[in-house]
Every structure is written in structure tokens, then in C-alpha cells.
Amino acid sequence: MGKQLRIAIDGPASAGKSTVAKLAAHRLGYIYCDTGAMYRAVTWWALQKKVALDDDLALAKMLAQLEIKFVPAKEGQRVFVNNNEVTKEIRMPTVTNNVSTVAAQVSVRKVLTQRQQEIAAGGGIVMDGRDIGTTVLPDAEVKIFLVASVKERALRRFRENQAKNIPTSLTKLEFEIEERDRKDSTRTVSPLVKAEDAIKVDTTSLSIDEVVTKIMRIVENKLEKA
Ligand code: CDP
Ligand code: CDP
């Protein structure tokens, strides 16, 4: 068995992070960890419990009692919060449009960063998010920063919604993506930014397969040198 690398995949909303991270993890026989799902789970729980989304201390208190669990499944990954399944709920627009506020809170980031570091401790992991290469795993062996034009990213979400029969407007999606990127990039703690040593991959005109192939080449190159 080769060296068990830690692979960080960061980038803005809908750049294709989770899709390619999952596929790369599968090919390598690694664990996949979707850190965005953790921020989404906290947001969903706070909305249920009516905890103010910008009240850092109240959120931290809530988080201390919160167990977030991932269960691998055929369709990807099931997410549980205190044994309640929230896989679908955390993708709802109310969560998507509020998650950046929760993710900007200092204590929330501190707790989730620590949990993510524990998950990655053994290596052999592909972790995707916004601050994996900069804060969670600053010494990850492979760091990828995925980007794509806003138009392409909105179109990808639009197609995804169409396939699920969810009515949406492309203009609205574009606005929401830009707004979330703006909030994620301008927050004080661990903003969305490319790590200096991350490799930038522009996926605007690339298929999912082409992106995975590029990432696998970078990983294989690293494994040969390890
Ligand atoms: O919709 P998309 O898959 O692009 O987002 P996500 O990966 O599910 O992340 C949802 C939100 O969680 C982001 O917009 C960030 O506000 C926050 N997040 C973060 O702050 N840090 C991470 N490592 C991952 C997600
Ligand atoms: O995790 P993130 O928000 O960065 O993006 P995602 O949920 O993995 O991908 C968003 C959508 O773009 C999905 O429907 C993917 O199938 C699609 N996609 C694509 O069309 N082409 C790519 N090169 C990557 C993703």
C-alpha cells in the first residue's frame, strides 16, 4: 500500500469540489470528507432550534452537544445530526442562503476545524471545503484549488436542479453563488482563499472526468516521489 496522502480540495461554490473529491477518493480507496456538509448541518440545527445565526457563543454552546456523523452510502454520503438524518435538509435553499453567516463565526470554525483535523489524522483522505489547504490541513501533501466562471457554476447548479425537477432561475442562482463567494472570501476567520502552494485548476470547460484525471495525475506524481 502506498503512502496515505491528505488531499485538500478548496474553491468557490459549485466549482465541482465534492463531485471530483468523491470520485478521486473512490479511485484511491481513501476516505472522503465534505466539510461544507458540517457547516450546513450546524446551520440546519440552529434554524431548527431558533438559535441566532450570528450569535457565536450560543452556536458554540449548541455545537458542544452536537454529534455530526457521515455514513457512506451508494448515492454518496448520508449525514446525521444527533442521530437525525439531515442528508436532504442540509441542501435546502434556507440552509444554502444562511450557511455563510454561521461559517463566519469564530467558535464554530474552531470546533469544526478541530473535528476535521481529527477525521484527517490517519491520512488517506480527500477533504473538500474552503479553508482545508490554508487552515485545516496546512501541511496536506496535495492541495488543489478548483475554480470555474460564475456563469458556468450557476449553469451547473441549474442543470442539477432541473434534473431534480426543482424550479429555479439562472439569474437568481448566479446572484446567490456570487453572494456566498463574497461572504466566504471576505470573512475575517479562514476566508476562502487559494493556499500559496495549492495548484489551481480551472474547470470552466472541463468535464468531470477531465478534472478527476488532472487531479489523479497530480496525486500519482506526489506518490511517486513519496
Ligand atoms: O454549495 P457548495 O457545495 O459549494 O458549498 P458547501 O461546500 O456545501 O459549503 C457550504 C458553505 O459552508 C460555504 O459556502 C461556506 O460558507 C461554508 N464552508 C466553510 O466556510 N468552510 C469549509 N471548509 C467548508 C464550507
Ligand atoms: O462541491 P461544489 O459546490 O464545488 O460543486 P459540486 O456540487 O461538486 O458540483 C456542482 C455541479 O457541477 C454538479 O451537478 C456536478 O455534476 C457539476 N460539474 C460539472 O458539470 N462539471 C465539472 N467539471 C464538475 C462538476
Side-chain angles (χ1 to χ4, degrees):
M1 192 168 60
K3 190 168 188 292
Q4 297 284 293
L5 306 180
R6 289 158 304 161
I7 303 171
I9 303 189
D10 290 302
S14 298
K17 300 181 297 299
S18 54
T19 306
V20 300
K22 231 176 275 170
L23 289 167
H26 185 71
R27 285 206 199 167
L28 289 158
Y30 282 11
I31 303 167
Y32 163 61
C33 177
D34 175 357
T35 63
M38 296 170 90
Y39 287 95
R40 285 174 178 272
V42 175
T43 306
W44 182 79
W45 199 255
L47 286 166
Q48 295 303 302
K49 300 291 169 195
K50 304 207 173 351
V51 175
L53 303 182
D54 59 352
D55 187 338
D56 191 26
L57 289 182
L59 288 169
K61 214 167 133 193
M62 180 195 88
L63 200 45
Q65 313 293 324
L66 220 61
E67 189 205 17
I68 303 169
K69 226 171 38 196
F70 292 119
V71 176
K74 215 171 51 214
E75 64 282 8
Q77 201 166 51
R78 294 168 70 191
V79 185
F80 292 82
V81 179
N82 289 355
N83 293 322
N84 299 284
E85 177 155 20
V86 296
T87 313
K88 285 207 180 87
E89 287 78 356
I90 63 168
R91 306 286 158 197
M92 287 181 350
T94 41
V95 173
T96 303
N97 295 330
N98 283 298
V99 62
S100 292
T101 305
V102 172
Q105 308 306 314
V106 184
S107 311
V108 172
R109 296 209 75 82
K110 201 170 153 196
V111 174
L112 291 188
T113 297
Q114 198 178 346
R115 291 193 192 172
Q116 290 153 13
Q117 287 168 337
E118 283 163 11
I119 295 172
I125 188 162
V126 184
M127 189 172 260
D128 86 303
R130 300 293 186 287
D131 63 337
I132 312 306
T134 52
T135 307
V136 180
L137 305 174
D139 53 356
E141 289 82 5
V142 176
K143 295 184 188 178
I144 312 277
F145 196 77
L146 285 189
V147 295
S149 72
V150 175
K151 275 207 164 13
E152 173 62 22
R153 290 187 282 133
L155 200 58
R156 287 176 185 174
R157 277 279 183 256
F158 184 75
R159 288 196 201 109
E160 203 177 281
N161 287 348
Q162 270 189 325
K164 291 183 198 158
N165 277 324
I166 303 171
T168 20
S169 124
L170 192 56
T171 324
K172 191 161 170 259
L173 278 175
E174 212 174 305
F175 172 78
E176 283 169 2
I177 284 176
E178 277 186 308
E179 189 54 15
R180 197 143 58 91
D181 287 351
R182 187 188 60 75
K183 285 188 187 154
D184 290 342
S185 311
T186 55
R187 68 177 172 230
T188 333
V189 214
S190 306
L192 164 67
V193 63
K194 179 186 159 306
E196 260 180 41
D197 52 349
I199 299 171
K200 189 168 163 179
V201 178
D202 188 339
T203 75
T204 307
S205 54
L206 297 181
S207 69
I208 294 170
D209 254 8
E210 286 170 326
V211 182
V212 177
T213 304
K214 259 184 193 278
I215 293 175
M216 290 303 292
R217 253 189 232 132
I218 297 167
V219 173
E220 279 154 15
N221 194 24
K222 200 68 179 182
L223 281 169
E224 275 165 22
K225 288 182 187 154

PDB file of all heavy atoms in Angstrom, residues 75-104:
ATOM      1  N   GLU A  75     -25.471   6.423  -2.869  1.00  0.00           N
ATOM      2  CA  GLU A  75     -25.678   7.705  -3.537  1.00  0.00           C
ATOM      3  C   GLU A  75     -24.690   8.771  -3.051  1.00  0.00           C
ATOM      4  O   GLU A  75     -24.818   9.938  -3.390  1.00  0.00           O
ATOM      5  CB  GLU A  75     -27.135   8.184  -3.370  1.00  0.00           C
ATOM      6  CG  GLU A  75     -27.579   8.478  -1.937  1.00  0.00           C
ATOM      7  CD  GLU A  75     -27.920   7.230  -1.101  1.00  0.00           C
ATOM      8  OE1 GLU A  75     -27.674   6.097  -1.557  1.00  0.00           O
ATOM      9  OE2 GLU A  75     -28.399   7.426   0.026  1.00  0.00           O
ATOM     10  N   GLY A  76     -23.730   8.388  -2.270  1.00  0.00           N
ATOM     11  CA  GLY A  76     -22.742   9.353  -1.782  1.00  0.00           C
ATOM     12  C   GLY A  76     -22.544   9.172  -0.305  1.00  0.00           C
ATOM     13  O   GLY A  76     -21.956   8.200   0.146  1.00  0.00           O
ATOM     14  N   GLN A  77     -23.135  10.080   0.453  1.00  0.00           N
ATOM     15  CA  GLN A  77     -22.871  10.074   1.881  1.00  0.00           C
ATOM     16  C   GLN A  77     -24.134  10.550   2.598  1.00  0.00           C
ATOM     17  O   GLN A  77     -24.729  11.542   2.194  1.00  0.00           O
ATOM     18  CB  GLN A  77     -21.757  11.080   2.098  1.00  0.00           C
ATOM     19  CG  GLN A  77     -20.985  10.935   3.322  1.00  0.00           C
ATOM     20  CD  GLN A  77     -19.717  11.774   3.250  1.00  0.00           C
ATOM     21  OE1 GLN A  77     -19.762  12.960   2.948  1.00  0.00           O
ATOM     22  NE2 GLN A  77     -18.595  11.170   3.559  1.00  0.00           N
ATOM     23  N   ARG A  78     -24.532   9.817   3.655  1.00  0.00           N
ATOM     24  CA  ARG A  78     -25.694  10.276   4.428  1.00  0.00           C
ATOM     25  C   ARG A  78     -25.165  11.062   5.626  1.00  0.00           C
ATOM     26  O   ARG A  78     -24.125  10.731   6.184  1.00  0.00           O
ATOM     27  CB  ARG A  78     -26.528   9.087   4.885  1.00  0.00           C
ATOM     28  CG  ARG A  78     -27.147   8.369   3.694  1.00  0.00           C
ATOM     29  CD  ARG A  78     -27.731   7.043   4.108  1.00  0.00           C
ATOM     30  NE  ARG A  78     -28.920   7.187   4.927  1.00  0.00           N
ATOM     31  CZ  ARG A  78     -29.486   6.183   5.587  1.00  0.00           C
ATOM     32  NH1 ARG A  78     -28.956   4.977   5.530  1.00  0.00           N
ATOM     33  NH2 ARG A  78     -30.562   6.390   6.324  1.00  0.00           N
ATOM     34  N   VAL A  79     -25.884  12.124   5.991  1.00  0.00           N
ATOM     35  CA  VAL A  79     -25.433  12.985   7.084  1.00  0.00           C
ATOM     36  C   VAL A  79     -26.451  12.923   8.231  1.00  0.00           C
ATOM     37  O   VAL A  79     -27.662  13.051   8.001  1.00  0.00           O
ATOM     38  CB  VAL A  79     -25.278  14.456   6.601  1.00  0.00           C
ATOM     39  CG1 VAL A  79     -24.688  15.334   7.694  1.00  0.00           C
ATOM     40  CG2 VAL A  79     -24.430  14.521   5.336  1.00  0.00           C
ATOM     41  N   PHE A  80     -25.941  12.741   9.451  1.00  0.00           N
ATOM     42  CA  PHE A  80     -26.801  12.673  10.633  1.00  0.00           C
ATOM     43  C   PHE A  80     -26.351  13.698  11.667  1.00  0.00           C
ATOM     44  O   PHE A  80     -25.158  13.901  11.865  1.00  0.00           O
ATOM     45  CB  PHE A  80     -26.709  11.279  11.283  1.00  0.00           C
ATOM     46  CG  PHE A  80     -27.317  10.190  10.443  1.00  0.00           C
ATOM     47  CD1 PHE A  80     -26.595   9.619   9.394  1.00  0.00           C
ATOM     48  CD2 PHE A  80     -28.610   9.743  10.676  1.00  0.00           C
ATOM     49  CE1 PHE A  80     -27.150   8.616   8.609  1.00  0.00           C
ATOM     50  CE2 PHE A  80     -29.180   8.737   9.891  1.00  0.00           C
ATOM     51  CZ  PHE A  80     -28.442   8.177   8.855  1.00  0.00           C
ATOM     52  N   VAL A  81     -27.331  14.356  12.291  1.00  0.00           N
ATOM     53  CA  VAL A  81     -27.033  15.259  13.402  1.00  0.00           C
ATOM     54  C   VAL A  81     -27.770  14.715  14.614  1.00  0.00           C
ATOM     55  O   VAL A  81     -29.008  14.579  14.586  1.00  0.00           O
ATOM     56  CB  VAL A  81     -27.507  16.700  13.114  1.00  0.00           C
ATOM     57  CG1 VAL A  81     -27.207  17.605  14.292  1.00  0.00           C
ATOM     58  CG2 VAL A  81     -26.852  17.240  11.869  1.00  0.00           C
ATOM     59  N   ASN A  82     -27.032  14.396  15.657  1.00  0.00           N
ATOM     60  CA  ASN A  82     -27.612  13.767  16.851  1.00  0.00           C
ATOM     61  C   ASN A  82     -28.588  12.651  16.464  1.00  0.00           C
ATOM     62  O   ASN A  82     -29.730  12.600  16.959  1.00  0.00           O
ATOM     63  CB  ASN A  82     -28.311  14.810  17.737  1.00  0.00           C
ATOM     64  CG  ASN A  82     -27.299  15.707  18.418  1.00  0.00           C
ATOM     65  OD1 ASN A  82     -26.092  15.500  18.298  1.00  0.00           O
ATOM     66  ND2 ASN A  82     -27.772  16.718  19.122  1.00  0.00           N
ATOM     67  N   ASN A  83     -28.135  11.820  15.545  1.00  0.00           N
ATOM     68  CA  ASN A  83     -28.906  10.663  15.049  1.00  0.00           C
ATOM     69  C   ASN A  83     -30.147  10.999  14.224  1.00  0.00           C
ATOM     70  O   ASN A  83     -30.932  10.110  13.918  1.00  0.00           O
ATOM     71  CB  ASN A  83     -29.282   9.709  16.197  1.00  0.00           C
ATOM     72  CG  ASN A  83     -28.031   9.053  16.763  1.00  0.00           C
ATOM     73  OD1 ASN A  83     -27.110   8.708  16.002  1.00  0.00           O
ATOM     74  ND2 ASN A  83     -27.963   8.911  18.074  1.00  0.00           N
ATOM     75  N   ASN A  84     -30.341  12.265  13.843  1.00  0.00           N
ATOM     76  CA  ASN A  84     -31.420  12.613  12.911  1.00  0.00           C
ATOM     77  C   ASN A  84     -30.813  12.720  11.524  1.00  0.00           C
ATOM     78  O   ASN A  84     -29.825  13.442  11.343  1.00  0.00           O
ATOM     79  CB  ASN A  84     -32.023  13.993  13.249  1.00  0.00           C
ATOM     80  CG  ASN A  84     -32.622  14.020  14.629  1.00  0.00           C
ATOM     81  OD1 ASN A  84     -33.698  13.501  14.856  1.00  0.00           O
ATOM     82  ND2 ASN A  84     -31.882  14.614  15.572  1.00  0.00           N
ATOM     83  N   GLU A  85     -31.410  12.045  10.549  1.00  0.00           N
ATOM     84  CA  GLU A  85     -30.859  12.147   9.199  1.00  0.00           C
ATOM     85  C   GLU A  85     -31.220  13.511   8.592  1.00  0.00           C
ATOM     86  O   GLU A  85     -32.376  13.935   8.586  1.00  0.00           O
ATOM     87  CB  GLU A  85     -31.384  11.034   8.286  1.00  0.00           C
ATOM     88  CG  GLU A  85     -30.828  11.243   6.877  1.00  0.00           C
ATOM     89  CD  GLU A  85     -30.746   9.995   6.030  1.00  0.00           C
ATOM     90  OE1 GLU A  85     -31.437   9.014   6.332  1.00  0.00           O
ATOM     91  OE2 GLU A  85     -29.972  10.033   5.035  1.00  0.00           O
ATOM     92  N   VAL A  86     -30.201  14.220   8.096  1.00  0.00           N
ATOM     93  CA  VAL A  86     -30.421  15.569   7.538  1.00  0.00           C
ATOM     94  C   VAL A  86     -29.825  15.676   6.120  1.00  0.00           C
ATOM     95  O   VAL A  86     -29.604  16.776   5.628  1.00  0.00           O
ATOM     96  CB  VAL A  86     -29.818  16.669   8.460  1.00  0.00           C
ATOM     97  CG1 VAL A  86     -30.517  16.701   9.802  1.00  0.00           C
ATOM     98  CG2 VAL A  86     -28.309  16.466   8.655  1.00  0.00           C
ATOM     99  N   THR A  87     -29.581  14.525   5.492  1.00  0.00           N
ATOM    100  CA  THR A  87     -28.920  14.494   4.180  1.00  0.00           C
ATOM    101  C   THR A  87     -29.588  15.447   3.179  1.00  0.00           C
ATOM    102  O   THR A  87     -28.898  16.218   2.497  1.00  0.00           O
ATOM    103  CB  THR A  87     -28.942  13.048   3.618  1.00  0.00           C
ATOM    104  OG1 THR A  87     -28.523  12.164   4.655  1.00  0.00           O
ATOM    105  CG2 THR A  87     -28.031  12.900   2.416  1.00  0.00           C
ATOM    106  N   LYS A  88     -30.926  15.388   3.094  1.00  0.00           N
ATOM    107  CA  LYS A  88     -31.632  16.232   2.115  1.00  0.00           C
ATOM    108  C   LYS A  88     -31.811  17.642   2.666  1.00  0.00           C
ATOM    109  O   LYS A  88     -31.641  18.630   1.956  1.00  0.00           O
ATOM    110  CB  LYS A  88     -33.020  15.637   1.826  1.00  0.00           C
ATOM    111  CG  LYS A  88     -32.958  14.415   0.937  1.00  0.00           C
ATOM    112  CD  LYS A  88     -34.271  14.265   0.151  1.00  0.00           C
ATOM    113  CE  LYS A  88     -34.201  13.037  -0.732  1.00  0.00           C
ATOM    114  NZ  LYS A  88     -34.628  11.816  -0.005  1.00  0.00           N
ATOM    115  N   GLU A  89     -32.152  17.720   3.943  1.00  0.00           N
ATOM    116  CA  GLU A  89     -32.465  19.016   4.568  1.00  0.00           C
ATOM    117  C   GLU A  89     -31.323  20.017   4.447  1.00  0.00           C
ATOM    118  O   GLU A  89     -31.550  21.203   4.236  1.00  0.00           O
ATOM    119  CB  GLU A  89     -32.803  18.809   6.056  1.00  0.00           C
ATOM    120  CG  GLU A  89     -34.151  18.169   6.328  1.00  0.00           C
ATOM    121  CD  GLU A  89     -34.161  16.658   6.108  1.00  0.00           C
ATOM    122  OE1 GLU A  89     -33.142  16.089   5.673  1.00  0.00           O
ATOM    123  OE2 GLU A  89     -35.226  16.047   6.363  1.00  0.00           O
ATOM    124  N   ILE A  90     -30.082  19.544   4.576  1.00  0.00           N
ATOM    125  CA  ILE A  90     -28.954  20.488   4.566  1.00  0.00           C
ATOM    126  C   ILE A  90     -28.692  21.091   3.182  1.00  0.00           C
ATOM    127  O   ILE A  90     -27.878  21.998   3.051  1.00  0.00           O
ATOM    128  CB  ILE A  90     -27.648  19.872   5.144  1.00  0.00           C
ATOM    129  CG1 ILE A  90     -27.166  18.690   4.301  1.00  0.00           C
ATOM    130  CG2 ILE A  90     -27.827  19.490   6.601  1.00  0.00           C
ATOM    131  CD1 ILE A  90     -25.747  18.230   4.651  1.00  0.00           C
ATOM    132  N   ARG A  91     -29.366  20.576   2.157  1.00  0.00           N
ATOM    133  CA  ARG A  91     -29.211  21.125   0.793  1.00  0.00           C
ATOM    134  C   ARG A  91     -30.349  22.090   0.470  1.00  0.00           C
ATOM    135  O   ARG A  91     -30.435  22.614  -0.638  1.00  0.00           O
ATOM    136  CB  ARG A  91     -29.199  20.009  -0.264  1.00  0.00           C
ATOM    137  CG  ARG A  91     -28.172  18.928  -0.023  1.00  0.00           C
ATOM    138  CD  ARG A  91     -26.755  19.361  -0.315  1.00  0.00           C
ATOM    139  NE  ARG A  91     -25.805  18.514   0.389  1.00  0.00           N
ATOM    140  CZ  ARG A  91     -24.536  18.810   0.601  1.00  0.00           C
ATOM    141  NH1 ARG A  91     -24.039  19.946   0.165  1.00  0.00           N
ATOM    142  NH2 ARG A  91     -23.751  18.000   1.264  1.00  0.00           N
ATOM    143  N   MET A  92     -31.268  22.316   1.426  1.00  0.00           N
ATOM    144  CA  MET A  92     -32.404  23.206   1.151  1.00  0.00           C
ATOM    145  C   MET A  92     -31.940  24.654   1.033  1.00  0.00           C
ATOM    146  O   MET A  92     -30.971  25.055   1.674  1.00  0.00           O
ATOM    147  CB  MET A  92     -33.444  23.067   2.263  1.00  0.00           C
ATOM    148  CG  MET A  92     -34.183  21.749   2.161  1.00  0.00           C
ATOM    149  SD  MET A  92     -35.466  21.408   3.385  1.00  0.00           S
ATOM    150  CE  MET A  92     -35.309  22.642   4.583  1.00  0.00           C
ATOM    151  N   PRO A  93     -32.663  25.464   0.189  1.00  0.00           N
ATOM    152  CA  PRO A  93     -32.251  26.859  -0.014  1.00  0.00           C
ATOM    153  C   PRO A  93     -32.100  27.655   1.281  1.00  0.00           C
ATOM    154  O   PRO A  93     -31.206  28.489   1.385  1.00  0.00           O
ATOM    155  CB  PRO A  93     -33.370  27.438  -0.885  1.00  0.00           C
ATOM    156  CG  PRO A  93     -33.996  26.266  -1.542  1.00  0.00           C
ATOM    157  CD  PRO A  93     -33.814  25.094  -0.647  1.00  0.00           C
ATOM    158  N   THR A  94     -32.953  27.389   2.296  1.00  0.00           N
ATOM    159  CA  THR A  94     -32.840  28.162   3.547  1.00  0.00           C
ATOM    160  C   THR A  94     -31.463  27.930   4.191  1.00  0.00           C
ATOM    161  O   THR A  94     -30.886  28.847   4.775  1.00  0.00           O
ATOM    162  CB  THR A  94     -33.896  27.750   4.601  1.00  0.00           C
ATOM    163  OG1 THR A  94     -34.003  26.344   4.579  1.00  0.00           O
ATOM    164  CG2 THR A  94     -35.218  28.403   4.373  1.00  0.00           C
ATOM    165  N   VAL A  95     -30.966  26.712   4.067  1.00  0.00           N
ATOM    166  CA  VAL A  95     -29.642  26.406   4.622  1.00  0.00           C
ATOM    167  C   VAL A  95     -28.569  27.046   3.733  1.00  0.00           C
ATOM    168  O   VAL A  95     -27.679  27.753   4.216  1.00  0.00           O
ATOM    169  CB  VAL A  95     -29.429  24.879   4.763  1.00  0.00           C
ATOM    170  CG1 VAL A  95     -28.001  24.576   5.184  1.00  0.00           C
ATOM    171  CG2 VAL A  95     -30.422  24.280   5.749  1.00  0.00           C
ATOM    172  N   THR A  96     -28.679  26.824   2.422  1.00  0.00           N
ATOM    173  CA  THR A  96     -27.677  27.370   1.484  1.00  0.00           C
ATOM    174  C   THR A  96     -27.544  28.883   1.640  1.00  0.00           C
ATOM    175  O   THR A  96     -26.430  29.420   1.645  1.00  0.00           O
ATOM    176  CB  THR A  96     -28.074  27.017   0.031  1.00  0.00           C
ATOM    177  OG1 THR A  96     -28.201  25.597  -0.053  1.00  0.00           O
ATOM    178  CG2 THR A  96     -27.046  27.492  -0.968  1.00  0.00           C
ATOM    179  N   ASN A  97     -28.665  29.566   1.804  1.00  0.00           N
ATOM    180  CA  ASN A  97     -28.605  31.026   1.870  1.00  0.00           C
ATOM    181  C   ASN A  97     -28.204  31.566   3.242  1.00  0.00           C
ATOM    182  O   ASN A  97     -28.022  32.769   3.403  1.00  0.00           O
ATOM    183  CB  ASN A  97     -29.946  31.630   1.424  1.00  0.00           C
ATOM    184  CG  ASN A  97     -30.203  31.318  -0.038  1.00  0.00           C
ATOM    185  OD1 ASN A  97     -29.259  31.187  -0.829  1.00  0.00           O
ATOM    186  ND2 ASN A  97     -31.464  31.160  -0.410  1.00  0.00           N
ATOM    187  N   ASN A  98     -28.083  30.702   4.238  1.00  0.00           N
ATOM    188  CA  ASN A  98     -27.700  31.170   5.587  1.00  0.00           C
ATOM    189  C   ASN A  98     -26.380  30.612   6.086  1.00  0.00           C
ATOM    190  O   ASN A  98     -25.832  31.088   7.081  1.00  0.00           O
ATOM    191  CB  ASN A  98     -28.794  30.790   6.596  1.00  0.00           C
ATOM    192  CG  ASN A  98     -29.991  31.715   6.482  1.00  0.00           C
ATOM    193  OD1 ASN A  98     -29.867  32.921   6.707  1.00  0.00           O
ATOM    194  ND2 ASN A  98     -31.133  31.178   6.111  1.00  0.00           N
ATOM    195  N   VAL A  99     -25.858  29.602   5.377  1.00  0.00           N
ATOM    196  CA  VAL A  99     -24.682  28.892   5.898  1.00  0.00           C
ATOM    197  C   VAL A  99     -23.445  29.796   6.025  1.00  0.00           C
ATOM    198  O   VAL A  99     -22.663  29.666   6.973  1.00  0.00           O
ATOM    199  CB  VAL A  99     -24.396  27.612   5.065  1.00  0.00           C
ATOM    200  CG1 VAL A  99     -24.088  27.918   3.626  1.00  0.00           C
ATOM    201  CG2 VAL A  99     -23.274  26.781   5.663  1.00  0.00           C
ATOM    202  N   SER A 100     -23.293  30.762   5.134  1.00  0.00           N
ATOM    203  CA  SER A 100     -22.097  31.617   5.194  1.00  0.00           C
ATOM    204  C   SER A 100     -22.061  32.474   6.458  1.00  0.00           C
ATOM    205  O   SER A 100     -20.980  32.824   6.937  1.00  0.00           O
ATOM    206  CB  SER A 100     -22.030  32.521   3.967  1.00  0.00           C
ATOM    207  OG  SER A 100     -21.798  31.732   2.837  1.00  0.00           O
ATOM    208  N   THR A 101     -23.230  32.811   6.990  1.00  0.00           N
ATOM    209  CA  THR A 101     -23.280  33.600   8.232  1.00  0.00           C
ATOM    210  C   THR A 101     -22.755  32.740   9.384  1.00  0.00           C
ATOM    211  O   THR A 101     -21.916  33.190  10.179  1.00  0.00           O
ATOM    212  CB  THR A 101     -24.738  34.049   8.524  1.00  0.00           C
ATOM    213  OG1 THR A 101     -25.210  34.738   7.381  1.00  0.00           O
ATOM    214  CG2 THR A 101     -24.831  34.924   9.756  1.00  0.00           C
ATOM    215  N   VAL A 102     -23.220  31.511   9.456  1.00  0.00           N
ATOM    216  CA  VAL A 102     -22.781  30.597  10.521  1.00  0.00           C
ATOM    217  C   VAL A 102     -21.278  30.299  10.368  1.00  0.00           C
ATOM    218  O   VAL A 102     -20.528  30.279  11.347  1.00  0.00           O
ATOM    219  CB  VAL A 102     -23.611  29.282  10.470  1.00  0.00           C
ATOM    220  CG1 VAL A 102     -23.051  28.244  11.422  1.00  0.00           C
ATOM    221  CG2 VAL A 102     -25.067  29.574  10.785  1.00  0.00           C
ATOM    222  N   ALA A 103     -20.852  30.119   9.105  1.00  0.00           N
ATOM    223  CA  ALA A 103     -19.450  29.760   8.840  1.00  0.00           C
ATOM    224  C   ALA A 103     -18.481  30.906   9.133  1.00  0.00           C
ATOM    225  O   ALA A 103     -17.276  30.691   9.163  1.00  0.00           O
ATOM    226  CB  ALA A 103     -19.299  29.302   7.391  1.00  0.00           C
ATOM    227  N   ALA A 104     -19.014  32.109   9.349  1.00  0.00           N
ATOM    228  CA  ALA A 104     -18.137  33.243   9.656  1.00  0.00           C
ATOM    229  C   ALA A 104     -17.888  33.374  11.159  1.00  0.00           C
ATOM    230  O   ALA A 104     -17.090  34.212  11.593  1.00  0.00           O
ATOM    231  CB  ALA A 104     -18.757  34.526   9.109  1.00  0.00           C
TER     232      ALA A 104
END
